[in-house]
Structures are given as C-alpha cells and as structure tokens.
Amino acid sequence: MATLPDTRQAASSSTTDAEPTLRSVTAPSGYVFPAIWSFPPIFTLQPNPQTFAHQISLWTQLLLSWAKFHRVFTLDAGAVDGGDCRDVFHNSAINRRLQPPAIKQFVSHLLKEGLISPDPPQQSSTYLIYWKKPEEWASIIYTWVSDHGLTGSIMTFYELTEGDMAHTTEFYQLPPSLLRRALDVLVKRGKAQVFKGEDVAEGVKFF
Amino acid sequence: MGLACTKGMYPKLARKVYKLIRPCGLTYSNVKIPTHQVLSVRLTTHRLLFICSSTPTPPLDTKEPPPAHLQVHLADIRQTEHYTGFLRSSSKITLQLGVPANPDGLGDANSSNSEQNGTINSGVRGTGWNRRSDWTCRVCGFHNEAASATTAAGQQSSQSRWSSAPGATTCKLCGIARPEEDEPDRATIAPSPITSDPATLSAKKQIPCPRCTYLNDPRLPNCEICGAKITSVTQQAEEPPASESIRISFRKGGDKEVYRRLKTVLASRTWEGKQKLGRMGAVRLEEGATVSEGTSRAGTPTRGIGIDGILANIDLENKAKTEEVKDAFEDLEALMVRAGEMVKLVQSLNAKLSTSAPKTSANGSPDPEAETRTFLRSSLVQLGLPVPAITQDATTMKDERAYLDALAAELGGLLTGSASGAEKRKGEEGLMMGSNGKGLVGMDEAWVIWNRARGVSLVSPQVMQKVVPLLPAHTYPAVEKLRFLSGLEVLHTPVYSPRTFERRVRRRLEDSVHRLEDRNEQTNDTSIVNAESTISSFCAEPYTTTLDIALTEGLSVSLTKEMLAFIEMIPECGLVRDEQGDGGGTGGGMIGGGPVEERWYKNLISQFTWVDVNV
C-alpha cells in the first residue's frame, strides 16, 4: 500500500513512512506527529491482540517522544483529557481522543514497562514519565557535576535544577520528585549524599 | 325415591364402614324409645346406623314388623356431647340434630307445617313409633293435632304410643281411626299438612294431587278431581326437621371408641357434596328390610342401585366412549380428505403464481407485487421437501452415521437447492443460494426452516448439531458452521467465510481510495492549497460503517456486527475499528439515536513503523 503515489505526500517533507492518505502533522510547537496519529482507529484500542500490541507500542513511542520534546514530566491519568499530555491524546483535526478507559489501559501498560511511576507513590492518578529513567538522569547529573568540577561541594536541589549553571543542562527544571529519585540512585552508588534541609533548601553533596 | 335407607343405598353412600358393634339404647328427646334399647351402632362416612341386632321384646299388641333400623345422617348432626357416666348412669353420647335453612325454598313451604306439627314432628320417624304429626281425618276432614291425637287415643302410655299400633290414633271429632297410609312417617311430605304423608315408597300408596291434595291412584297421570297433572314433584318435598337430640346410652361401654370415631368422621365431612338427595329428616328408618338382608327397592328410578346400577353405569360410560372414538375417527377421515385438497390448492396456487411472475413491471423498478409473488412462491417451495423426510426408522441404514449423512444431504439440498440424489429442479433456489439466497444464516433459522420443510417428522437441535459438521461434504458450495464470539452459530457459504468477507470489505475500501485519488487529481489545483493550510482535511483515509457493510452484503446489522467482531479478532486482520465516529458517514447516519456506530478502516496500524524525526 505504500507504493501508491501520493502527490501531496511529496509536498510534505516531514515523514518518510506515511500512508498514502495519511500525513504527518506538525504541531504549533514544532513537534511532528506521526501520520498514524491522524488515523482515527489509533484512538480506539483494538480488540485484536496483535494489532493492539503494535498500537500500544506506537502510543508508548509517541508519548515518550512527545513528552521529551516538550519536557513534560508528569502524566495525569485521573484527568479526563490526560492532564499535561492532553495535546498528544487528543487530535482535534480528526476529532478523536484517547478516552479515559483507554488511557487507563495505556497507563497500566506503561507501568508494566516501567516507563512511568506513580508520584506520589501508592496512587493511580499522577505519574512521572520516565522518558529518561532515574538511572539515566543520575548519570547525566553526575557527569555534569564531575565535568564542572563540583564534586565535593554541596549544592541545593534548587541550585542543581534552577540555577544559572543548569540553564543549559538537560535536567533543567527537573521536578524535585524526579530529581530525588535520580539522586537516590547516586546515593545508593555511594556517589552522593543528601542532606535534610529546611523545606526546599535540601542539599546534596557529590563525591 | 331414595329417601329411606335401603340395602341398595347402603354400599352407595357408605364408602367406608366402621364396624362398631356396641350394645346401646336410644333416647329421643329425653324419652327412651322402648323398641330401640338393644342396638348395635354402625358408623359410616355418611351415617350413623342403629341396627336392631336382636329384638327380644317386640310389641305384643301389634302386627307391625319388628322395630326397624334407624339411621342418622351425619350431615344433620350439629353438635355432639359425650357423657362418661357416673355411678349407675351409663355413659352416653348426645347428638344435637338440626338442619340448616333449606336453600330451595321448600323449607319455607313446610315451615308452617313444621310448626304446627310441634317440636317432634321431624327428625325421628318410623312406622314403629312415629305418630306424632298432625293429620286430617279422611272421613270428617277434621284437622287433628298431634298432641290432641294423643289425648284422643286415651292416655296412652308412652310405651304404647311408641309401639305405634295403627289404630291407636283416632279422629277427635268422629272417632275414626287414623289410616295407616296417612301417617307422616315416610320422610316425604306434601306441601299441605293434610296430605303430609304421600306414602310414596310403595306402589300401593296413593299420591296426593299437588293442587287439590286429593289422594290419587299412582297410576293416574292426572288428578281425578281437578285434573291437575300428578307428578312426583311432591315427593321431593322434604320436611325440615327442627333441632332435636338423640342420646345413645352405652350400657356395656365402648362409648369412647364410638365417640372418637364419630368425631373423626364428622370432622372429615365426607358426605359433603355427595348428598344430592338433599337434607332429610334427622333419623330415617329402615323400611322393613334389615341392612344385612334387605332387597333393593324400586324407589330410585333415576339412579342405579346395587350391582345393576354399577353395571348400568359401566354400560353408559362405554357407550359414551364409543361415541367419542367414533366421532374422532370421522374427524380424522374428513381431515385426510381435506389434506388432499390442500395439496391440490397449493399446487394450483404455485402454478398461478409462476404464470403471473414473468409479467414484471416495464419501468425496471422492482414491482412490489412481483416481489410478494416471488416470496410466496419461494415459501411454498420451502414448505415441502422434494422427497419424503428422512427418518431413522424409514431408512434402512443401520448405523447412525449413515442416517446423519442422509440428513446432511437433505439439509444441504434445502440450503443450496441442489439435493444430491434427487434430480435438480430447474430454477429452484436453496435458502442460501441463488438470487434471493442468504449467504449467512443463523443456525436457529436454518433449523426452523428445515423442520418446516420436514413437516411432522421434526429434527431435534441435538441431531442438527451432529448433522452440521457433515454438511460441507454434502453441499456444493460447501456450507460450514461458524461460531461467533457471542456464541451465536451461523451457517455460511464460502462466499461468506470470514476471510472472504474481510477481503471483500478491504477491497471495497481500497477501491474507494482510488476513487478518492481520482477525485483529488481532478480537483488538484484548488484542493492542494487547502490541504496545506488546514490540517482538518488530512483525514482522508476511507472508511465504511457496519451499516454500510450490512447493506452491501445483504445481511442484518446484528449479524454483520457479529461477523465483523469475529473478523477483527483473526490474526493479521486487515480491518480496524474506530468507535468514535459521529455517525455522519457515507449515508450511514445514526441508527435510532443508538450508540455510536463503528467505522471500519483498513488496518494501517499493524504495518506502521515510525521513525521519530523529533529531537
């Protein structure tokens, strides 16, 4: 079916693997949605197990890509429209959205894959999206710290994610909860020590 | 009249006899009855019988037969009392007798009579001792009252009074003895007190005229005096007894047993609904004959009595049965004659329809009348099988397999219209083949049609379940069974197999892609600008709806739904669903405002791989 010529697809430069009648959509933010995002059935979970498996993997890929692109860290499964992720769950052009039951199913799949984690723990509405796992965040932070010769010094959490030096880092404006999980990994590895401070003024010392 | 208790009635009324032979004496309304002091009590479900087992002292001054046996209808007993006895007084059972108001008005007619006759008029009566009612002298016509009669008889002792010699009572005015026939002791009484004793129990007795009360010879149809028709209606008249009491003294014990039994029998009320003769006097007398050796009397013309009666009843029943059977056979024969006519009618109707069918309307559009005709004709064809229905015993096949094979062939012939074995009829179309055939038929529908075709030799669903797996071997094209996810089972031709069905739907979708592209190319210049500027025109993937598919395939919507639900579960299925369609599709629209209709797309999900271009 991909062999069918499509004149308009040629004009569109954003995708390479689009279906003849479907084309990628570029959102105002500059994010390029895949062509399948414009395919209405993708918003209905398919009963066929084969199709469903592929569909859910496409959704996973899309969600992580989209969240990474927009630096969205939280997923609100309890919200009707998907909370922070409403833009990916809803395609207004074709008037299709991932319905709450479908989102629930999707979330449980993501949980199983370890790609999201409830935050705070022991509840099932808000999740942290691990488009980078805490381990990855930990290595990125530690690399950055050692690259900047900050080992041995004490930094507050705020300094780390909001400070002037962090502007250019990947972990800029990382949510504190996610930062804590990343630092926990480092603590376990014996590369950092977390100090209990007053309120936000929590500190961390890297070794 | 069956008023008196006779031998013949004895087995009829008394369904169950409790043999309670207890010596006892009888006291009526506080007066000892001298003739009935050595009695044995017999209790049946209907009556209490007092049987004079031996009559040691028959009244010497009379030519009367020995004292007769007495009976009390249990229905007349209002109350029972038991006195256990004290010192020299023996134990007693007291029965309070009474009859409720007569429902048919006879009681009213006789009530005055009853009052006149005094308190002891009704109830206990007998040839032996009951002479206490009023009577009218046949000579002077003087109305003698019971009490005065007694005085007229001259200070009779109670003993002689009870002994009831026929001449004991004489007219107060003229001194003529009271005639024996005139005694009101036959338990039947005319409305008039004058003829209060119709003496109906014997053919010798005279019958009072209902109008003038003249006593006529029973053989006369009309009254000698006034010419009124003499009927036996008067005999039906009964006398309502006033309440009175009987006391049974048990001098030798046994009272407790009798009383207990009596209570049980009274509580069971077996006599209810069986006493067609109505209520009679509380105590009736056995006329002459004893219970044990009496003869059947001719007093009950309408009812068989004794063995004769039973035999007559059996005869009657047999006759009725024979009549019924005869009627039934006549009906059956008539039906068989009609059946031939019915077949002829169907054939002629079919022929008529066939000849009129070619006349289709000229303008090409299907003529509704023609459609009706075709439908009628096809249903007529479906009404019968070309060959008689195959049954297990009709076939000589021994094993079940052969039988099932034959059945499968029969069903296959019905479904595909090409019965193997029978020569193929030209133009005949099976249920699932031909222009009107349905490629997908529910098992239930097929079963019903099959059974309709088979007529009376029906096939059970179990047998059908066994036959269906054999169908593909006996049908061309092969008809197979398909079980949907909901459990619904259908029969389908190869054209309607899920794979073929899916391919067909997909091809139609692809065809519509081509049509879309053709249209796009034609309007390329204008649309390309719009397509670039608005994203709303991007959803160009063709789809179809369940309703569209149902219309195209000629299936019911529910069957289509089931079929598609089955198809989409097949591995590598080429169709995917979209449940959020707003229904404003390709002519589908909402169905009765129901749930949103599914749209079906070619499966683009399974093959889709996405290379993320976002950094």
Side-chain angles (χ1 to χ4, degrees), chain B residues 212-263:
Chain B
C212 66
T213 71
Y214 179 77
L215 292 171
N216 287 285
D217 190 280
R219 282 162 294 192
L220 288 173
N222 289 45
C223 176
E224 269 183 289
I225 303 298
C226 64
K229 193 170 164 66
I230 299 173
T231 57
S232 58
V233 170
T234 51
Q235 298 170 7
Q236 305 285 348
E238 288 154 18
E239 195 171 328
S243 59
E244 45 212 326
S245 66
I246 296 175
R247 193 174 300 151
I248 311 159
S249 315
F250 293 85
R251 302 201 180 83
K252 291 180 184 168
D255 54 307
K256 279 176 190 155
E257 171 77 358
V258 170
Y259 190 68
R260 194 177 55 76
R261 289 284 182 87
L262 183 64
K263 275 289 194 192

Short mmCIF file of all heavy atoms in Angstrom, two decimals, chain B residues 212-263:
data_model
loop_
_atom_site.label_atom_id
_atom_site.label_comp_id
_atom_site.label_asym_id
_atom_site.label_seq_id
_atom_site.Cartn_x
_atom_site.Cartn_y
_atom_site.Cartn_z
N CYS B 212 -105.13 -29.99 44.54
CA CYS B 212 -106.27 -30.13 45.45
C CYS B 212 -106.00 -31.12 46.57
O CYS B 212 -106.89 -31.34 47.41
CB CYS B 212 -107.51 -30.54 44.68
SG CYS B 212 -107.38 -32.19 43.96
N THR B 213 -104.87 -31.71 46.56
CA THR B 213 -104.42 -32.65 47.59
C THR B 213 -105.23 -33.94 47.64
O THR B 213 -105.12 -34.72 48.58
CB THR B 213 -104.46 -32.02 49.00
OG1 THR B 213 -105.82 -31.87 49.40
CG2 THR B 213 -103.72 -30.69 49.04
N TYR B 214 -106.04 -34.15 46.63
CA TYR B 214 -106.79 -35.41 46.61
C TYR B 214 -105.79 -36.55 46.40
O TYR B 214 -104.88 -36.46 45.60
CB TYR B 214 -107.81 -35.38 45.47
CG TYR B 214 -108.60 -36.66 45.36
CD1 TYR B 214 -109.65 -36.93 46.26
CD2 TYR B 214 -108.31 -37.60 44.39
CE1 TYR B 214 -110.37 -38.11 46.16
CE2 TYR B 214 -109.03 -38.79 44.29
CZ TYR B 214 -110.07 -39.04 45.19
OH TYR B 214 -110.75 -40.20 45.07
N LEU B 215 -106.05 -37.64 47.13
CA LEU B 215 -105.13 -38.77 47.02
C LEU B 215 -105.51 -39.61 45.82
O LEU B 215 -106.59 -40.21 45.77
CB LEU B 215 -105.15 -39.60 48.29
CG LEU B 215 -104.57 -38.91 49.50
CD1 LEU B 215 -104.82 -39.70 50.75
CD2 LEU B 215 -103.07 -38.71 49.30
N ASN B 216 -104.69 -39.63 44.85
CA ASN B 216 -104.98 -40.33 43.61
C ASN B 216 -104.23 -41.64 43.56
O ASN B 216 -103.22 -41.84 44.25
CB ASN B 216 -104.52 -39.47 42.43
CG ASN B 216 -105.44 -38.29 42.21
OD1 ASN B 216 -106.53 -38.42 41.71
ND2 ASN B 216 -104.95 -37.13 42.67
N ASP B 217 -104.77 -42.48 42.71
CA ASP B 217 -104.05 -43.72 42.44
C ASP B 217 -102.75 -43.36 41.71
O ASP B 217 -102.74 -42.51 40.83
CB ASP B 217 -104.91 -44.61 41.55
CG ASP B 217 -104.33 -45.99 41.42
OD1 ASP B 217 -103.38 -46.14 40.59
OD2 ASP B 217 -104.75 -46.90 42.14
N PRO B 218 -101.68 -43.95 42.09
CA PRO B 218 -100.39 -43.56 41.47
C PRO B 218 -100.33 -43.81 39.98
O PRO B 218 -99.49 -43.24 39.29
CB PRO B 218 -99.38 -44.44 42.22
CG PRO B 218 -100.17 -45.52 42.84
CD PRO B 218 -101.51 -44.96 43.12
N ARG B 219 -101.20 -44.69 39.46
CA ARG B 219 -101.14 -44.98 38.04
C ARG B 219 -101.79 -43.89 37.20
O ARG B 219 -101.62 -43.82 36.00
CB ARG B 219 -101.82 -46.32 37.75
CG ARG B 219 -100.94 -47.50 38.13
CD ARG B 219 -101.74 -48.75 38.25
NE ARG B 219 -102.68 -48.69 39.37
CZ ARG B 219 -103.35 -49.74 39.84
NH1 ARG B 219 -103.19 -50.92 39.27
NH2 ARG B 219 -104.17 -49.62 40.85
N LEU B 220 -102.56 -43.03 37.86
CA LEU B 220 -103.25 -41.98 37.11
C LEU B 220 -102.29 -40.84 36.79
O LEU B 220 -101.56 -40.40 37.67
CB LEU B 220 -104.41 -41.43 37.93
CG LEU B 220 -105.62 -42.34 38.09
CD1 LEU B 220 -106.60 -41.74 39.07
CD2 LEU B 220 -106.29 -42.54 36.74
N PRO B 221 -102.35 -40.38 35.56
CA PRO B 221 -101.45 -39.27 35.23
C PRO B 221 -102.02 -37.94 35.73
O PRO B 221 -101.27 -37.00 35.96
CB PRO B 221 -101.38 -39.30 33.71
CG PRO B 221 -102.63 -39.98 33.27
CD PRO B 221 -103.09 -40.88 34.38
N ASN B 222 -103.34 -37.86 35.80
CA ASN B 222 -103.95 -36.59 36.23
C ASN B 222 -104.83 -36.83 37.45
O ASN B 222 -105.30 -37.94 37.69
CB ASN B 222 -104.79 -36.02 35.10
CG ASN B 222 -103.95 -35.51 33.96
OD1 ASN B 222 -103.01 -36.20 33.57
ND2 ASN B 222 -104.23 -34.34 33.46
N CYS B 223 -105.06 -35.73 38.12
CA CYS B 223 -105.88 -35.82 39.32
C CYS B 223 -107.32 -36.16 38.94
O CYS B 223 -107.85 -35.63 37.97
CB CYS B 223 -105.81 -34.51 40.08
SG CYS B 223 -106.88 -34.50 41.52
N GLU B 224 -107.91 -37.03 39.71
CA GLU B 224 -109.29 -37.41 39.43
C GLU B 224 -110.23 -36.24 39.63
O GLU B 224 -111.28 -36.16 39.00
CB GLU B 224 -109.69 -38.56 40.36
CG GLU B 224 -109.42 -39.93 39.78
CD GLU B 224 -109.91 -41.01 40.71
OE1 GLU B 224 -109.29 -41.20 41.78
OE2 GLU B 224 -110.92 -41.64 40.38
N ILE B 225 -109.92 -35.38 40.54
CA ILE B 225 -110.86 -34.32 40.91
C ILE B 225 -110.62 -33.08 40.07
O ILE B 225 -111.52 -32.60 39.40
CB ILE B 225 -110.70 -33.97 42.40
CG1 ILE B 225 -110.90 -35.22 43.25
CG2 ILE B 225 -111.66 -32.86 42.80
CD1 ILE B 225 -112.28 -35.85 43.13
N CYS B 226 -109.43 -32.56 40.13
CA CYS B 226 -109.21 -31.26 39.48
C CYS B 226 -108.47 -31.39 38.16
O CYS B 226 -108.33 -30.40 37.44
CB CYS B 226 -108.44 -30.32 40.43
SG CYS B 226 -106.81 -30.93 40.78
N GLY B 227 -107.98 -32.55 37.85
CA GLY B 227 -107.33 -32.75 36.55
C GLY B 227 -105.91 -32.25 36.48
O GLY B 227 -105.31 -32.24 35.41
N ALA B 228 -105.43 -31.85 37.63
CA ALA B 228 -104.04 -31.37 37.61
C ALA B 228 -103.08 -32.54 37.35
O ALA B 228 -103.38 -33.69 37.66
CB ALA B 228 -103.71 -30.72 38.95
N LYS B 229 -101.99 -32.21 36.78
CA LYS B 229 -101.01 -33.24 36.45
C LYS B 229 -100.33 -33.71 37.74
O LYS B 229 -99.86 -32.90 38.53
CB LYS B 229 -99.95 -32.68 35.51
CG LYS B 229 -99.08 -33.73 34.86
CD LYS B 229 -98.24 -33.09 33.78
CE LYS B 229 -97.10 -33.99 33.36
NZ LYS B 229 -97.54 -35.22 32.71
N ILE B 230 -100.35 -34.98 37.88
CA ILE B 230 -99.72 -35.53 39.09
C ILE B 230 -98.28 -35.90 38.76
O ILE B 230 -98.01 -36.72 37.88
CB ILE B 230 -100.46 -36.77 39.58
CG1 ILE B 230 -101.90 -36.39 39.92
CG2 ILE B 230 -99.75 -37.37 40.77
CD1 ILE B 230 -102.75 -37.56 40.25
N THR B 231 -97.43 -35.24 39.42
CA THR B 231 -96.02 -35.55 39.21
C THR B 231 -95.44 -36.02 40.53
O THR B 231 -96.07 -35.94 41.57
CB THR B 231 -95.25 -34.31 38.73
OG1 THR B 231 -95.45 -33.29 39.71
CG2 THR B 231 -95.75 -33.84 37.40
N SER B 232 -94.28 -36.47 40.42
CA SER B 232 -93.62 -36.95 41.63
C SER B 232 -92.91 -35.81 42.34
O SER B 232 -92.13 -36.03 43.25
CB SER B 232 -92.63 -38.05 41.28
OG SER B 232 -91.70 -37.53 40.36
N VAL B 233 -93.19 -34.59 41.86
CA VAL B 233 -92.54 -33.45 42.48
C VAL B 233 -92.82 -33.39 43.97
O VAL B 233 -91.95 -33.09 44.76
CB VAL B 233 -93.01 -32.15 41.79
CG1 VAL B 233 -92.55 -30.94 42.56
CG2 VAL B 233 -92.53 -32.11 40.36
N THR B 234 -94.04 -33.73 44.27
CA THR B 234 -94.41 -33.65 45.68
C THR B 234 -93.53 -34.55 46.52
O THR B 234 -93.30 -34.29 47.69
CB THR B 234 -95.86 -34.09 45.85
OG1 THR B 234 -96.02 -35.35 45.20
CG2 THR B 234 -96.79 -33.08 45.23
N GLN B 235 -93.07 -35.56 45.86
CA GLN B 235 -92.25 -36.49 46.62
C GLN B 235 -90.91 -35.91 47.01
O GLN B 235 -90.25 -36.37 47.92
CB GLN B 235 -92.04 -37.77 45.80
CG GLN B 235 -93.34 -38.47 45.51
CD GLN B 235 -93.19 -39.58 44.53
OE1 GLN B 235 -92.06 -39.89 44.17
NE2 GLN B 235 -94.27 -40.17 44.10
N GLN B 236 -90.55 -34.90 46.23
CA GLN B 236 -89.26 -34.30 46.53
C GLN B 236 -89.33 -33.45 47.79
O GLN B 236 -88.31 -33.15 48.40
CB GLN B 236 -88.80 -33.40 45.38
CG GLN B 236 -88.75 -34.10 44.04
CD GLN B 236 -87.56 -35.01 43.94
OE1 GLN B 236 -86.67 -34.94 44.76
NE2 GLN B 236 -87.55 -35.88 42.94
N ALA B 237 -90.55 -33.07 48.10
CA ALA B 237 -90.69 -32.16 49.23
C ALA B 237 -90.18 -32.83 50.48
O ALA B 237 -90.47 -33.98 50.77
CB ALA B 237 -92.15 -31.77 49.39
N GLU B 238 -89.45 -32.11 51.17
CA GLU B 238 -88.88 -32.67 52.38
C GLU B 238 -89.24 -31.80 53.55
O GLU B 238 -89.50 -30.62 53.42
CB GLU B 238 -87.36 -32.77 52.25
CG GLU B 238 -86.96 -33.86 51.30
CD GLU B 238 -85.63 -33.55 50.70
OE1 GLU B 238 -84.91 -32.72 51.27
OE2 GLU B 238 -85.32 -34.14 49.67
N GLU B 239 -89.16 -32.41 54.62
CA GLU B 239 -89.56 -31.71 55.82
C GLU B 239 -88.34 -31.25 56.58
O GLU B 239 -87.46 -32.05 56.88
CB GLU B 239 -90.37 -32.67 56.68
CG GLU B 239 -91.14 -31.96 57.75
CD GLU B 239 -92.07 -32.94 58.42
OE1 GLU B 239 -92.55 -33.85 57.74
OE2 GLU B 239 -92.29 -32.77 59.61
N PRO B 240 -88.28 -30.00 56.85
CA PRO B 240 -87.13 -29.54 57.61
C PRO B 240 -87.30 -29.88 59.07
O PRO B 240 -88.25 -29.44 59.71
CB PRO B 240 -87.14 -28.03 57.40
CG PRO B 240 -88.57 -27.73 57.16
CD PRO B 240 -89.22 -28.92 56.58
N PRO B 241 -86.44 -30.64 59.57
CA PRO B 241 -86.56 -31.00 60.97
C PRO B 241 -86.11 -29.88 61.87
O PRO B 241 -85.18 -29.15 61.53
CB PRO B 241 -85.64 -32.20 61.11
CG PRO B 241 -84.64 -32.04 60.02
CD PRO B 241 -85.25 -31.22 58.95
N ALA B 242 -86.76 -29.77 62.93
CA ALA B 242 -86.31 -28.81 63.92
C ALA B 242 -85.16 -29.44 64.69
O ALA B 242 -84.88 -30.63 64.54
CB ALA B 242 -87.45 -28.48 64.87
N SER B 243 -84.53 -28.65 65.47
CA SER B 243 -83.40 -29.23 66.18
C SER B 243 -83.92 -30.11 67.32
O SER B 243 -84.90 -29.80 67.98
CB SER B 243 -82.53 -28.12 66.74
OG SER B 243 -83.29 -27.33 67.59
N GLU B 244 -83.29 -31.21 67.46
CA GLU B 244 -83.67 -32.16 68.48
C GLU B 244 -82.45 -32.96 68.85
O GLU B 244 -81.38 -32.78 68.25
CB GLU B 244 -84.77 -33.08 67.95
CG GLU B 244 -84.49 -33.59 66.55
CD GLU B 244 -85.78 -33.78 65.78
OE1 GLU B 244 -86.77 -34.16 66.42
OE2 GLU B 244 -85.79 -33.59 64.57
N SER B 245 -82.62 -33.84 69.74
CA SER B 245 -81.43 -34.54 70.20
C SER B 245 -81.71 -36.03 70.35
O SER B 245 -82.84 -36.46 70.58
CB SER B 245 -80.96 -33.95 71.54
OG SER B 245 -81.94 -34.23 72.51
N ILE B 246 -80.66 -36.76 70.17
CA ILE B 246 -80.71 -38.21 70.37
C ILE B 246 -79.65 -38.54 71.39
O ILE B 246 -78.54 -38.00 71.32
CB ILE B 246 -80.42 -38.96 69.06
CG1 ILE B 246 -81.51 -38.66 68.05
CG2 ILE B 246 -80.30 -40.44 69.30
CD1 ILE B 246 -81.22 -39.26 66.72
N ARG B 247 -79.99 -39.39 72.25
CA ARG B 247 -78.98 -39.81 73.21
C ARG B 247 -78.77 -41.31 73.06
O ARG B 247 -79.73 -42.08 73.03
CB ARG B 247 -79.41 -39.46 74.62
CG ARG B 247 -78.29 -39.59 75.62
CD ARG B 247 -78.71 -39.10 76.99
NE ARG B 247 -79.09 -37.69 76.94
CZ ARG B 247 -79.99 -37.15 77.77
NH1 ARG B 247 -80.59 -37.90 78.67
NH2 ARG B 247 -80.27 -35.88 77.70
N ILE B 248 -77.54 -41.65 72.95
CA ILE B 248 -77.22 -43.06 72.82
C ILE B 248 -76.58 -43.49 74.13
O ILE B 248 -75.54 -42.95 74.53
CB ILE B 248 -76.24 -43.31 71.66
CG1 ILE B 248 -76.74 -42.60 70.40
CG2 ILE B 248 -76.05 -44.79 71.41
CD1 ILE B 248 -75.67 -42.35 69.39
N SER B 249 -77.20 -44.44 74.78
CA SER B 249 -76.66 -44.92 76.05
C SER B 249 -75.88 -46.20 75.80
O SER B 249 -76.37 -47.13 75.15
CB SER B 249 -77.78 -45.22 77.03
OG SER B 249 -78.72 -44.17 77.00
N PHE B 250 -74.70 -46.19 76.30
CA PHE B 250 -73.86 -47.39 76.15
C PHE B 250 -73.82 -48.09 77.49
O PHE B 250 -73.13 -47.65 78.41
CB PHE B 250 -72.46 -46.99 75.70
CG PHE B 250 -72.41 -46.42 74.32
CD1 PHE B 250 -72.65 -45.07 74.10
CD2 PHE B 250 -72.16 -47.23 73.22
CE1 PHE B 250 -72.64 -44.55 72.83
CE2 PHE B 250 -72.14 -46.70 71.96
CZ PHE B 250 -72.38 -45.36 71.75
N ARG B 251 -74.55 -49.17 77.56
CA ARG B 251 -74.62 -49.83 78.86
C ARG B 251 -73.43 -50.76 79.07
O ARG B 251 -73.14 -51.14 80.18
CB ARG B 251 -75.92 -50.62 78.97
CG ARG B 251 -77.10 -49.70 78.77
CD ARG B 251 -78.37 -50.21 79.31
NE ARG B 251 -79.40 -49.20 79.04
CZ ARG B 251 -80.03 -49.12 77.88
NH1 ARG B 251 -79.79 -49.98 76.91
NH2 ARG B 251 -80.92 -48.17 77.69
N LYS B 252 -72.85 -51.11 78.02
CA LYS B 252 -71.72 -52.03 78.19
C LYS B 252 -70.41 -51.42 77.70
O LYS B 252 -69.52 -52.10 77.21
CB LYS B 252 -72.00 -53.34 77.43
CG LYS B 252 -73.11 -54.13 78.07
CD LYS B 252 -73.40 -55.41 77.34
CE LYS B 252 -74.58 -56.11 77.97
NZ LYS B 252 -75.06 -57.21 77.11
N GLY B 253 -70.32 -50.13 77.79
CA GLY B 253 -69.06 -49.47 77.45
C GLY B 253 -68.87 -49.33 75.93
O GLY B 253 -69.81 -49.52 75.15
N GLY B 254 -67.71 -49.00 75.55
CA GLY B 254 -67.42 -48.82 74.12
C GLY B 254 -67.78 -47.42 73.66
O GLY B 254 -67.61 -47.08 72.50
N ASP B 255 -68.28 -46.61 74.53
CA ASP B 255 -68.71 -45.28 74.14
C ASP B 255 -67.56 -44.41 73.68
O ASP B 255 -67.68 -43.63 72.74
CB ASP B 255 -69.42 -44.61 75.33
CG ASP B 255 -68.55 -44.62 76.56
OD1 ASP B 255 -68.09 -45.71 76.93
OD2 ASP B 255 -68.30 -43.53 77.13
N LYS B 256 -66.43 -44.61 74.34
CA LYS B 256 -65.30 -43.75 73.98
C LYS B 256 -64.86 -43.98 72.56
O LYS B 256 -64.59 -43.05 71.80
CB LYS B 256 -64.13 -44.02 74.93
CG LYS B 256 -64.31 -43.27 76.24
CD LYS B 256 -63.23 -43.59 77.21
CE LYS B 256 -63.56 -43.02 78.58
NZ LYS B 256 -62.89 -43.75 79.65
N GLU B 257 -64.79 -45.25 72.23
CA GLU B 257 -64.37 -45.61 70.87
C GLU B 257 -65.33 -45.03 69.84
O GLU B 257 -64.94 -44.40 68.87
CB GLU B 257 -64.32 -47.15 70.77
CG GLU B 257 -64.10 -47.69 69.37
CD GLU B 257 -62.66 -47.55 68.94
OE1 GLU B 257 -61.86 -46.99 69.72
OE2 GLU B 257 -62.34 -47.97 67.82
N VAL B 258 -66.63 -45.21 70.11
CA VAL B 258 -67.63 -44.71 69.17
C VAL B 258 -67.52 -43.20 69.06
O VAL B 258 -67.53 -42.64 67.96
CB VAL B 258 -69.04 -45.13 69.63
CG1 VAL B 258 -70.11 -44.41 68.80
CG2 VAL B 258 -69.21 -46.62 69.54
N TYR B 259 -67.37 -42.55 70.21
CA TYR B 259 -67.34 -41.11 70.19
C TYR B 259 -66.12 -40.59 69.43
O TYR B 259 -66.20 -39.65 68.63
CB TYR B 259 -67.31 -40.56 71.62
CG TYR B 259 -67.51 -39.07 71.68
CD1 TYR B 259 -68.75 -38.53 71.34
CD2 TYR B 259 -66.50 -38.22 72.07
CE1 TYR B 259 -68.96 -37.18 71.39
CE2 TYR B 259 -66.70 -36.86 72.10
CZ TYR B 259 -67.94 -36.34 71.77
OH TYR B 259 -68.15 -35.00 71.81
N ARG B 260 -65.01 -41.26 69.63
CA ARG B 260 -63.78 -40.83 68.95
C ARG B 260 -63.94 -40.97 67.43
O ARG B 260 -63.65 -40.04 66.67
CB ARG B 260 -62.61 -41.70 69.44
CG ARG B 260 -61.25 -41.16 69.07
CD ARG B 260 -60.15 -42.02 69.66
NE ARG B 260 -60.26 -43.42 69.29
CZ ARG B 260 -59.92 -43.88 68.09
NH1 ARG B 260 -59.46 -43.08 67.18
NH2 ARG B 260 -60.05 -45.16 67.82
N ARG B 261 -64.46 -42.13 67.05
CA ARG B 261 -64.66 -42.35 65.61
C ARG B 261 -65.65 -41.35 65.03
O ARG B 261 -65.45 -40.80 63.95
CB ARG B 261 -65.19 -43.77 65.37
CG ARG B 261 -64.14 -44.84 65.60
CD ARG B 261 -63.16 -44.87 64.43
NE ARG B 261 -62.18 -45.93 64.60
CZ ARG B 261 -62.37 -47.17 64.19
NH1 ARG B 261 -63.49 -47.51 63.60
NH2 ARG B 261 -61.44 -48.08 64.37
N LEU B 262 -66.70 -41.14 65.78
CA LEU B 262 -67.73 -40.22 65.31
C LEU B 262 -67.12 -38.84 65.08
O LEU B 262 -67.37 -38.19 64.06
CB LEU B 262 -68.85 -40.15 66.35
CG LEU B 262 -70.05 -39.29 65.97
CD1 LEU B 262 -70.76 -39.88 64.77
CD2 LEU B 262 -71.03 -39.18 67.14
N LYS B 263 -66.31 -38.43 66.01
CA LYS B 263 -65.66 -37.12 65.89
C LYS B 263 -64.82 -37.04 64.62
O LYS B 263 -64.88 -36.05 63.88
CB LYS B 263 -64.77 -36.88 67.12
CG LYS B 263 -65.54 -36.31 68.30
CD LYS B 263 -65.94 -34.89 68.04
CE LYS B 263 -66.39 -34.19 69.31
NZ LYS B 263 -67.05 -32.92 69.01
#
